[in-house]
Amino acid sequence: MDPIVIVGGDAAGMSAASKFKREHPDRDVVVFEKGEYVSYAACGMPYYIKGAVEEFDDLLQVSPEEFIEDRDIDLRLHHEVVDIDTDAREVTAETPDGAVSLSYDQLLIATGARAIEPPFDGMDLDGVHTLHSLDSAKAVHDLMDSGSVSAVGIVGGGYVGIEMAEAFAEHGVDVHLFEMLPHVLAPFGEMVAEKVEDHMREEGIELHLDTAVDGFTGDGDTLDGIVVGDDTVDVDLALVGVGVAPNAELADDAGIELGETGAIATDEFGRTSAEDVFAAGDCAEARHVVTGEPDYVPLALTANRAGRAIGQTMAGDETPVGDIAGTAAVKAFELEAARTGIIDEDAARDAGFDPVSVTITASSRAHYYPGAKPIHITMLADRDSKRVLGAAMVGREGVSKRIDTVAAALHSETTVGELEYFDLAYAPPFSPTWDPVLTTAKVLNGKLD
Amino acid sequence: MDPIVIVGGDAAGMSAASKFKREHPDRDVVVFEKGEYVSYAACGMPYYIKGAVEEFDDLLQVSPEEFIEDRDIDLRLHHEVVDIDTDAREVTAETPDGAVSLSYDQLLIATGARAIEPPFDGMDLDGVHTLHSLDSAKAVHDLMDSGSVSAVGIVGGGYVGIEMAEAFAEHGVDVHLFEMLPHVLAPFGEMVAEKVEDHMREEGIELHLDTAVDGFTGDGDTLDGIVVGDDTVDVDLALVGVGVAPNAELADDAGIELGETGAIATDEFGRTSAEDVFAAGDCAEARHVVTGEPDYVPLALTANRAGRAIGQTMAGDETPVGDIAGTAAVKAFELEAARTGIIDEDAARDAGFDPVSVTITASSRAHYYPGAKPIHITMLADRDSKRVLGAAMVGREGVSKRIDTVAAALHSETTVGELEYFDLAYAPPFSPTWDPVLTTAKVLNGKLD
């Protein structure tokens, strides 16, 4: 029988390979990976550059040798798949030793996403980086460690931009962050963004909001400034993190259907439009638990669990890849920010809801317990169904996992009234009697009457 | 129209009074409170004795004056209700100035619970305390502050015992904790208990497990030892915390039905067997969300939310008091322990389930992120329905609010397979990619196949 073939050796691909192999140790699983790293912790890169993660190797979760020797997966590094023939059920990869073709029984496309490279002048100057791979992280890490950098410009105020601001600041350099939109962290909403911005300014980050970067200037081949209109901000290192785009071209070229988001369209089991071809991770869409519609939110957990589910489905036990809620958390210096579901009123209306929202401030611990900190929460519900649609929160503690209670509520289509009566944990060091999530639900429910 | 009458001025009573009054500012609400404090933070008492909460007044959440003046509630301190006549719809209270009787339109019994006083020899010695009121907390606090205490004995290894061990240890005295059962923290299960016990021993607490205390000895009227069989352990202060019993006698005497637990039986709106008479808080039963049966788990949130719901129902807007999951958290020195639902296999079987359980150890943060700590989790499910029944966890961080995700799952009758695919928050400083709750569900689900 032809092997299971997997294109891409990161979270989704290796999860699927491992799961399938556990179910069918006798079947062959071939993974083509174009680079030399597999299953690495991309989300850990900012903390490596910061110096909080000391060893580069700590970012490598499972080594190629372990996959090959312990898990008996036929992992082929430096193999870039350039063609999929869904009629012939065959893929072709370019390798250092020429092209190879291989027939598949079932195929998983797990090609991930890439950092978007905006068409700025000077993108190719020395000193301009994107954080698109472990190698790029290593390069930036070594530059910061060398002590040669005194001012850094970050282009983009998303997760990567926020985390990198903290990482750079740790090195004592001047940090400028440029964001085209009026606020950083767009998916977290304005309330959270403003708290994060205030805090970043307190920490000495120079924020340039509502500011479109025009490009970079160089002294010869070497970056020396970021151009914004008529101004130039002197920097000797620039990090461009303006988002990612799905690596969907390979699938598109093979005639596999893409969704409206530009990522590969999939059904609830991760199947694409081509027979026996699956897609998962940062190259694929997933179904949003609130809207029921396809969405593109490339995050690590989504890739891992979809890969695992598809491995199980390919092994004969049909398993849905799971819906996404867009649940996310980010650390910004001393602040934690988190979000889940739909928190933007326009997005809620576009999805057919009649959104009602509240924003409250509650305490992370009993008010009398030392160290209690404010938590700011925005929660959205649908006026008609009273269903919880999403929430965002920010504070110095107790935020990143409190959002999970709301995420759980989204998966169960909970109403605000139901959420208000969830029996959540209380002890003075950890929560007020009414947990902030309950208090928010209580206030929101009052507004729905 | 006769007033709303409430017996007991703590969490349930004052929540109901406040809510009703907000809905009907024109109606009279009379609260009879036998003591002089209302709405106080009983759960904060150990932290006051520890010295973490510096001011006694911080434990008073809302003052009597605020209830009377700002909220226009007719609060009568030092009024102990001694009789309820459900036919005449009248209560009688003893006061410093003699008895008073009052007719009610609707009545709420919120008489709370009392510390159980075991029939030990020497319970009345100077130096033997229960933590049954703010006054008793103040007495113990002042004794510890006086520096006259050098060895303390705690009888009972429940929440109070664990929290008080930490509080006493902070004062540098020898601390002995006696528990009749083989383990402390019975509701948290053996796995959690053993971790807590190990940690308490590391912190210098002398644990006497599986050890029945026989009584206290004194030098004259003053405590000088705890008697266990033929041995005496020298202590100069003893704290007895062996649990609480519902103050249900007043209701019982009035012919109001009690449940099997000995607490006042209520329906989903908090109604008792007597017309227009409600009960809430530590004197009343509530419905368990997993079993659907009445249960008695006296905790602060349950009292607060039932009080509030009953206030709303009495005001004409029928509102269920909410089911309980027995969700609880406790801090034991540097450890957090938490539990929700059913975690005891025998209890699960008694409730008609076929329990399957797993215990795993996961990480509180990404494995490579500094400060990551192990979290130990036990989760129970029903083999047949695959429904999550409960969980307990313990660790140095990220425990107390992670339990809420499982509590939310219980309220929504979530299966283990559904929980495994909840989209929970991930960021390296706060969680591994698969949150420990997801990993536990994944392993448990594998065991259910």
Side-chain angles (χ1 to χ4, degrees):
Chain A
M1 192 184 281
D2 286 326
I4 299 296
V5 173
I6 294 173
V7 187
D10 205 347
M14 298 319 293
S15 296
S18 301
K19 181 65 183 169
F20 182 89
K21 198 71 193 181
R22 267 198 304 282
E23 303 292 320
H24 289 297
D26 50 314
R27 292 281 309 276
D28 288 332
V29 176
V30 179
V31 179
F32 291 119
E33 165 56 41
K34 68 177 178 182
E36 71 176 295
Y37 300 113
V38 292
S39 188
Y40 66 91
C43 306
M45 296 192 302
Y47 304 103
Y48 170 64
I49 293 167
K50 181 183 177 184
V53 176
E54 289 183 12
E55 299 298 329
F56 182 75
D57 285 355
D58 286 343
L59 299 182
L60 306 173
Q61 319 215 57
V62 185
S63 69
E65 293 68 37
E66 194 172 335
F67 281 117
I68 293 168
E69 282 156 33
D70 300 350
R71 303 192 188 179
D72 194 23
I73 292 166
D74 184 355
L75 169 62
R76 305 184 189 179
L77 300 177
H78 304 293
H79 278 56
E80 180 173 9
V81 173
V82 293
D83 185 64
I84 299 171
D85 184 335
T86 59
D87 293 328
R89 304 171 70 94
E90 191 180 80
V91 302
T92 302
E94 278 176 2
T95 84
D97 306 318
V100 293
S101 290
L102 188 69
S103 296
Y104 60 80
D105 175 47
Q106 297 177 83
L107 176 71
L108 169 61
I109 303 173
T111 41
R114 62 181 174 277
I116 293 172
E117 299 212 4
F120 291 156
D121 287 340
M123 273 299 283
D124 54 353
L125 287 169
D126 282 351
V128 177
H129 297 264
T130 60
L131 218 57
H132 63 282
S133 69
L134 279 187
D135 286 331
S136 60
K138 183 101 179 64
V140 174
H141 172 272
D142 293 350
L143 269 172
M144 294 313 296
D145 255 21
S146 73
S148 65
V149 176
S150 60
V152 171
I154 299 168
V155 184
Y159 305 93
V160 170
I162 300 297
E163 291 171 346
M164 287 306 302
E166 183 182 336
F168 287 132
E170 182 76 14
H171 291 274
V173 303
D174 291 342
V175 181
H176 296 266
L177 188 145
F178 299 86
E179 168 58 51
M180 224 167 70
L181 300 172
H183 290 290
V184 299
L185 287 179
F188 288 69
E190 197 174 305
M191 183 279 287
V192 169
E194 287 179 352
K195 304 281 179 200
V196 169
E197 290 159 7
D198 288 346
H199 181 59
M200 291 180 77
R201 287 193 192 99
E202 281 167 19
E203 294 284 347
I205 306 300
E206 188 86 30
L207 292 182
H208 306 256
L209 303 179
D210 230 338
T211 302
V213 164
D214 292 307
F216 305 105
T217 57
D219 175 10
D221 290 343
T222 306
L223 172 76
D224 67 1
I226 297 187
V227 182
V228 179
D230 295 336
D231 293 331
T232 299
V233 177
D234 292 345
V235 297
D236 32 33
L237 192 154
L239 188 111
V240 180
V242 297
V244 299
N247 290 325
E249 293 76 3
L250 180 67
D252 194 25
D253 290 347
I256 292 168
E257 211 175 288
L258 305 189
E260 279 182 31
T261 68
I264 303 170
T266 54
D267 73 3
E268 66 172 313
F269 299 100
R271 290 192 191 95
T272 69
S273 61
E275 204 184 351
D276 293 327
V277 179
F278 298 79
D282 291 358
C283 64
E285 293 184 336
R287 188 173 65 185
H288 196 285
V289 72
V290 177
T291 64
E293 297 295 323
D295 206 341
Y296 178 63
V297 187
L299 288 170
L301 175 61
T302 309
N304 274 276
R305 61 186 202 168
R308 186 170 186 276
I310 289 168
Q312 200 161 334
T313 298
M314 293 195 301
D317 177 13
E318 272 204 337
T319 306
V321 296
D323 290 345
I324 58 170
T327 313
V330 65
K331 178 176 180 292
F333 294 91
E334 300 306 313
L335 280 188
E336 301 179 18
R339 54 99 57 225
T340 190
I342 303 179
I343 57 167
D344 179 73
E345 300 207 7
D346 289 335
R349 272 185 285 269
D350 287 349
F353 298 109
D354 179 6
V356 180
S357 83
V358 294
T359 296
I360 71 153
T361 300
S363 174
S364 63
R365 312 178 181 189
H367 69 94
Y368 54 80
Y369 197 89
K373 297 278 188 295
I375 296 180
H376 311 278
I377 309 187
T378 295
M379 192 180 287
L380 230 73
D382 177 43
R383 185 181 299 279
D384 221 38
S385 64
K386 298 185 188 297
R387 203 176 142 188
V388 182
L389 299 178
M393 46 182 106
V394 62
R396 283 180 182 250
E397 64 168 17
V399 166
S400 54
K401 286 289 114 182
R402 254 187 188 98
I403 202 72
D404 287 349
T405 308
V406 184
L410 298 182
H411 279 280
S412 304
E413 299 195 19
T414 304
T415 66
V416 182
E418 288 165 349
L419 177 57
E420 179 186 343
Y421 280 85
F422 275 10
D423 186 9
L424 304 186
Y426 159 58
F430 309 127
S431 176
T433 310
W434 292 85
D435 186 272
V437 169
L438 300 178
T439 304
T440 312
K442 186 164 65 172
V443 176
L444 182 52
N445 203 22
K447 218 172 152 182
L448 287 172
D449 284 341
Chain B
M1 194 183 281
D2 287 325
I4 299 295
V5 173
I6 295 174
V7 187
D10 205 347
M14 297 320 297
S15 295
S18 301
K19 180 65 183 171
F20 181 90
K21 198 71 195 182
R22 267 198 303 281
E23 303 292 319
H24 287 299
D26 50 316
R27 293 280 310 276
D28 288 332
V29 176
V30 179
V31 178
F32 291 118
E33 164 56 42
K34 67 178 177 181
E36 70 175 294
Y37 301 114
V38 291
S39 187
Y40 67 90
C43 306
M45 296 193 301
Y47 304 103
Y48 170 62
I49 294 166
K50 182 181 178 186
V53 176
E54 290 183 13
E55 298 298 329
F56 181 76
D57 285 355
D58 286 344
L59 299 182
L60 306 174
Q61 319 215 55
V62 184
S63 68
E65 293 67 40
E66 193 171 337
F67 282 117
I68 294 168
E69 282 157 33
D70 299 351
R71 302 193 189 177
D72 195 23
I73 292 165
D74 184 356
L75 168 62
R76 305 185 190 180
L77 300 176
H78 305 295
H79 279 56
E80 179 172 9
V81 174
V82 293
D83 185 65
I84 300 172
D85 183 336
T86 58
D87 292 328
R89 306 173 68 95
E90 189 179 83
V91 302
T92 302
E94 280 178 0
T95 82
D97 305 319
V100 293
S101 290
L102 189 68
S103 296
Y104 60 77
D105 176 46
Q106 298 178 82
L107 176 70
L108 169 61
I109 303 173
T111 42
R114 61 181 174 277
I116 292 172
E117 299 212 3
F120 293 157
D121 287 341
M123 275 296 285
D124 54 354
L125 286 168
D126 282 353
V128 178
H129 296 264
T130 60
L131 219 57
H132 62 282
S133 68
L134 279 187
D135 286 330
S136 60
K138 183 101 177 62
V140 174
H141 172 271
D142 293 349
L143 270 171
M144 295 311 296
D145 255 22
S146 73
S148 64
V149 176
S150 60
V152 171
I154 299 168
V155 183
Y159 305 90
V160 170
I162 300 298
E163 291 170 347
M164 286 308 301
E166 182 183 336
F168 288 132
E170 182 76 13
H171 291 274
V173 301
D174 291 343
V175 180
H176 296 266
L177 188 145
F178 299 85
E179 169 58 51
M180 224 166 68
L181 300 172
H183 291 291
V184 299
L185 287 179
F188 289 70
E190 198 174 305
M191 182 279 286
V192 169
E194 286 178 350
K195 304 282 180 201
V196 170
E197 291 159 8
D198 288 348
H199 180 60
M200 291 180 78
R201 288 193 191 96
E202 282 167 19
E203 294 284 345
I205 306 301
E206 188 85 30
L207 293 182
H208 306 257
L209 303 178
D210 228 340
T211 301
V213 165
D214 292 308
F216 306 104
T217 58
D219 176 10
D221 291 343
T222 306
L223 172 77
D224 67 1
I226 298 187
V227 182
V228 178
D230 295 335
D231 294 331
T232 300
V233 178
D234 292 345
V235 299
D236 31 33
L237 192 153
L239 189 113
V240 180
V242 297
V244 299
N247 290 325
E249 292 76 5
L250 181 67
D252 195 24
D253 290 347
I256 291 167
E257 212 176 289
L258 305 189
E260 280 182 30
T261 68
I264 303 169
T266 54
D267 73 4
E268 65 173 315
F269 299 101
R271 290 192 191 95
T272 69
S273 60
E275 202 183 350
D276 293 327
V277 180
F278 298 79
D282 291 358
C283 64
E285 292 184 334
R287 189 172 66 185
H288 197 286
V289 71
V290 177
T291 64
E293 298 294 323
D295 207 340
Y296 178 62
V297 188
L299 288 171
L301 175 62
T302 309
N304 274 278
R305 62 187 203 169
R308 186 171 187 275
I310 289 169
Q312 200 161 335
T313 298
M314 293 195 302
D317 177 12
E318 273 206 335
T319 305
V321 296
D323 290 346
I324 58 169
T327 313
V330 65
K331 176 175 181 292
F333 294 91
E334 300 307 314
L335 281 187
E336 299 179 20
R339 54 99 56 227
T340 189
I342 304 179
I343 56 166
D344 179 71
E345 300 207 7
D346 290 335
R349 272 186 286 269
D350 287 350
F353 298 109
D354 180 6
V356 181
S357 83
V358 293
T359 296
I360 72 151
T361 300
S363 174
S364 63
R365 311 178 181 190
H367 69 93
Y368 54 79
Y369 195 89
K373 297 279 187 297
I375 297 181
H376 310 279
I377 310 189
T378 296
M379 193 180 287
L380 231 73
D382 176 42
R383 185 181 301 278
D384 221 40
S385 63
K386 299 185 189 292
R387 202 177 143 189
V388 182
L389 299 178
M393 47 182 101
V394 61
R396 282 179 182 252
E397 65 168 17
V399 165
S400 54
K401 286 289 114 184
R402 257 190 184 94
I403 201 72
D404 287 349
T405 308
V406 184
L410 299 181
H411 279 279
S412 303
E413 298 197 17
T414 304
T415 66
V416 182
E418 287 165 348
L419 178 56
E420 180 185 344
Y421 281 84
F422 275 11
D423 186 10
L424 304 185
Y426 160 57
F430 309 127
S431 176
T433 311
W434 292 84
D435 185 89
V437 169
L438 301 177
T439 304
T440 312
K442 185 164 66 172
V443 176
L444 182 53
N445 204 23
K447 217 172 152 183
L448 287 174
D449 284 342

mmCIF file of all heavy atoms in Angstrom, chain B residues 197-213:
data_model
loop_
_atom_site.group_PDB
_atom_site.id
_atom_site.type_symbol
_atom_site.label_atom_id
_atom_site.label_comp_id
_atom_site.label_asym_id
_atom_site.label_seq_id
_atom_site.Cartn_x
_atom_site.Cartn_y
_atom_site.Cartn_z
ATOM 1 N N GLU B 197 0.280 17.447 51.636
ATOM 2 C CA GLU B 197 0.925 16.965 52.868
ATOM 3 C C GLU B 197 2.451 17.036 52.763
ATOM 4 O O GLU B 197 3.125 17.517 53.687
ATOM 5 C CB GLU B 197 0.471 15.526 53.163
ATOM 6 C CG GLU B 197 -0.999 15.460 53.580
ATOM 7 C CD GLU B 197 -1.606 14.068 53.392
ATOM 8 O OE1 GLU B 197 -0.835 13.121 53.087
ATOM 9 O OE2 GLU B 197 -2.831 13.936 53.536
ATOM 10 N N ASP B 198 2.983 16.565 51.646
ATOM 11 C CA ASP B 198 4.446 16.626 51.459
ATOM 12 C C ASP B 198 4.938 18.062 51.589
ATOM 13 O O ASP B 198 5.945 18.347 52.231
ATOM 14 C CB ASP B 198 4.836 16.086 50.075
ATOM 15 C CG ASP B 198 4.673 14.577 49.991
ATOM 16 O OD1 ASP B 198 4.488 13.945 51.055
ATOM 17 O OD2 ASP B 198 4.710 14.033 48.867
ATOM 18 N N HIS B 199 4.206 18.950 50.950
ATOM 19 C CA HIS B 199 4.615 20.354 50.954
ATOM 20 C C HIS B 199 4.520 20.959 52.356
ATOM 21 O O HIS B 199 5.407 21.706 52.792
ATOM 22 C CB HIS B 199 3.755 21.129 49.971
ATOM 23 C CG HIS B 199 4.084 22.585 49.884
ATOM 24 N ND1 HIS B 199 5.326 23.043 49.506
ATOM 25 C CD2 HIS B 199 3.351 23.694 50.152
ATOM 26 C CE1 HIS B 199 5.334 24.373 49.535
ATOM 27 N NE2 HIS B 199 4.142 24.786 49.926
ATOM 28 N N MET B 200 3.459 20.611 53.081
ATOM 29 C CA MET B 200 3.307 21.151 54.443
ATOM 30 C C MET B 200 4.432 20.657 55.351
ATOM 31 O O MET B 200 4.950 21.404 56.181
ATOM 32 C CB MET B 200 1.944 20.769 55.017
ATOM 33 C CG MET B 200 0.793 21.491 54.316
ATOM 34 S SD MET B 200 -0.825 21.027 54.988
ATOM 35 C CE MET B 200 -0.828 21.997 56.496
ATOM 36 N N ARG B 201 4.807 19.392 55.181
ATOM 37 C CA ARG B 201 5.931 18.878 55.975
ATOM 38 C C ARG B 201 7.210 19.635 55.644
ATOM 39 O O ARG B 201 7.967 20.000 56.535
ATOM 40 C CB ARG B 201 6.109 17.373 55.710
ATOM 41 C CG ARG B 201 5.012 16.521 56.334
ATOM 42 C CD ARG B 201 5.393 15.031 56.336
ATOM 43 N NE ARG B 201 4.243 14.212 56.704
ATOM 44 C CZ ARG B 201 3.438 13.615 55.811
ATOM 45 N NH1 ARG B 201 3.661 13.738 54.517
ATOM 46 N NH2 ARG B 201 2.400 12.908 56.241
ATOM 47 N N GLU B 202 7.437 19.900 54.343
ATOM 48 C CA GLU B 202 8.612 20.710 53.947
ATOM 49 C C GLU B 202 8.599 22.075 54.628
ATOM 50 O O GLU B 202 9.641 22.639 54.934
ATOM 51 C CB GLU B 202 8.605 20.972 52.431
ATOM 52 C CG GLU B 202 9.054 19.829 51.554
ATOM 53 C CD GLU B 202 8.692 20.105 50.084
ATOM 54 O OE1 GLU B 202 8.441 21.294 49.733
ATOM 55 O OE2 GLU B 202 8.630 19.145 49.319
ATOM 56 N N GLU B 203 7.405 22.588 54.823
ATOM 57 C CA GLU B 203 7.275 23.912 55.441
ATOM 58 C C GLU B 203 7.309 23.819 56.959
ATOM 59 O O GLU B 203 7.111 24.822 57.653
ATOM 60 C CB GLU B 203 5.970 24.575 54.982
ATOM 61 C CG GLU B 203 5.932 24.917 53.488
ATOM 62 C CD GLU B 203 6.761 26.158 53.163
ATOM 63 O OE1 GLU B 203 7.130 26.897 54.093
ATOM 64 O OE2 GLU B 203 7.045 26.386 51.965
ATOM 65 N N GLY B 204 7.538 22.618 57.477
ATOM 66 C CA GLY B 204 7.750 22.481 58.915
ATOM 67 C C GLY B 204 6.522 22.156 59.743
ATOM 68 O O GLY B 204 6.583 22.152 60.973
ATOM 69 N N ILE B 205 5.410 21.889 59.078
ATOM 70 C CA ILE B 205 4.199 21.527 59.830
ATOM 71 C C ILE B 205 4.300 20.059 60.265
ATOM 72 O O ILE B 205 4.660 19.189 59.466
ATOM 73 C CB ILE B 205 2.927 21.712 58.961
ATOM 74 C CG1 ILE B 205 2.843 23.121 58.382
ATOM 75 C CG2 ILE B 205 1.673 21.355 59.778
ATOM 76 C CD1 ILE B 205 2.811 24.222 59.398
ATOM 77 N N GLU B 206 3.990 19.796 61.506
ATOM 78 C CA GLU B 206 3.978 18.425 62.028
ATOM 79 C C GLU B 206 2.585 17.854 61.770
ATOM 80 O O GLU B 206 1.603 18.269 62.407
ATOM 81 C CB GLU B 206 4.287 18.470 63.527
ATOM 82 C CG GLU B 206 4.493 17.140 64.195
ATOM 83 C CD GLU B 206 5.928 16.648 64.055
ATOM 84 O OE1 GLU B 206 6.838 17.521 63.975
ATOM 85 O OE2 GLU B 206 6.122 15.431 64.029
ATOM 86 N N LEU B 207 2.504 16.924 60.834
ATOM 87 C CA LEU B 207 1.198 16.335 60.509
ATOM 88 C C LEU B 207 0.962 15.069 61.326
ATOM 89 O O LEU B 207 1.828 14.195 61.373
ATOM 90 C CB LEU B 207 1.124 15.987 59.019
ATOM 91 C CG LEU B 207 1.124 17.148 58.027
ATOM 92 C CD1 LEU B 207 0.989 16.605 56.609
ATOM 93 C CD2 LEU B 207 -0.012 18.115 58.324
ATOM 94 N N HIS B 208 -0.200 14.995 61.923
ATOM 95 C CA HIS B 208 -0.615 13.785 62.648
ATOM 96 C C HIS B 208 -1.852 13.251 61.926
ATOM 97 O O HIS B 208 -2.973 13.613 62.267
ATOM 98 C CB HIS B 208 -0.957 14.112 64.109
ATOM 99 C CG HIS B 208 0.128 14.840 64.857
ATOM 100 N ND1 HIS B 208 0.952 14.228 65.771
ATOM 101 C CD2 HIS B 208 0.528 16.139 64.821
ATOM 102 C CE1 HIS B 208 1.818 15.118 66.274
ATOM 103 N NE2 HIS B 208 1.571 16.286 65.716
ATOM 104 N N LEU B 209 -1.623 12.417 60.895
ATOM 105 C CA LEU B 209 -2.740 11.903 60.099
ATOM 106 C C LEU B 209 -3.278 10.636 60.733
ATOM 107 O O LEU B 209 -2.603 9.985 61.532
ATOM 108 C CB LEU B 209 -2.278 11.639 58.664
ATOM 109 C CG LEU B 209 -1.679 12.855 57.942
ATOM 110 C CD1 LEU B 209 -1.209 12.462 56.544
ATOM 111 C CD2 LEU B 209 -2.684 13.997 57.876
ATOM 112 N N ASP B 210 -4.523 10.290 60.323
ATOM 113 C CA ASP B 210 -5.097 9.042 60.837
ATOM 114 C C ASP B 210 -5.081 9.053 62.367
ATOM 115 O O ASP B 210 -4.887 8.010 62.988
ATOM 116 C CB ASP B 210 -4.223 7.872 60.331
ATOM 117 C CG ASP B 210 -5.090 6.777 59.733
ATOM 118 O OD1 ASP B 210 -6.298 6.732 60.040
ATOM 119 O OD2 ASP B 210 -4.545 5.983 58.954
ATOM 120 N N THR B 211 -5.258 10.204 62.940
ATOM 121 C CA THR B 211 -5.048 10.389 64.369
ATOM 122 C C THR B 211 -6.264 11.071 64.989
ATOM 123 O O THR B 211 -6.566 12.222 64.665
ATOM 124 C CB THR B 211 -3.804 11.288 64.602
ATOM 125 O OG1 THR B 211 -2.672 10.663 63.994
ATOM 126 C CG2 THR B 211 -3.547 11.492 66.084
ATOM 127 N N ALA B 212 -6.955 10.340 65.856
ATOM 128 C CA ALA B 212 -8.128 10.910 66.524
ATOM 129 C C ALA B 212 -7.699 11.602 67.816
ATOM 130 O O ALA B 212 -7.062 10.994 68.675
ATOM 131 C CB ALA B 212 -9.135 9.812 66.828
ATOM 132 N N VAL B 213 -8.060 12.865 67.914
ATOM 133 C CA VAL B 213 -7.794 13.624 69.138
ATOM 134 C C VAL B 213 -8.815 13.214 70.197
ATOM 135 O O VAL B 213 -10.003 13.046 69.893
ATOM 136 C CB VAL B 213 -7.883 15.136 68.844
ATOM 137 C CG1 VAL B 213 -7.981 15.937 70.138
ATOM 138 C CG2 VAL B 213 -6.689 15.586 68.017
#
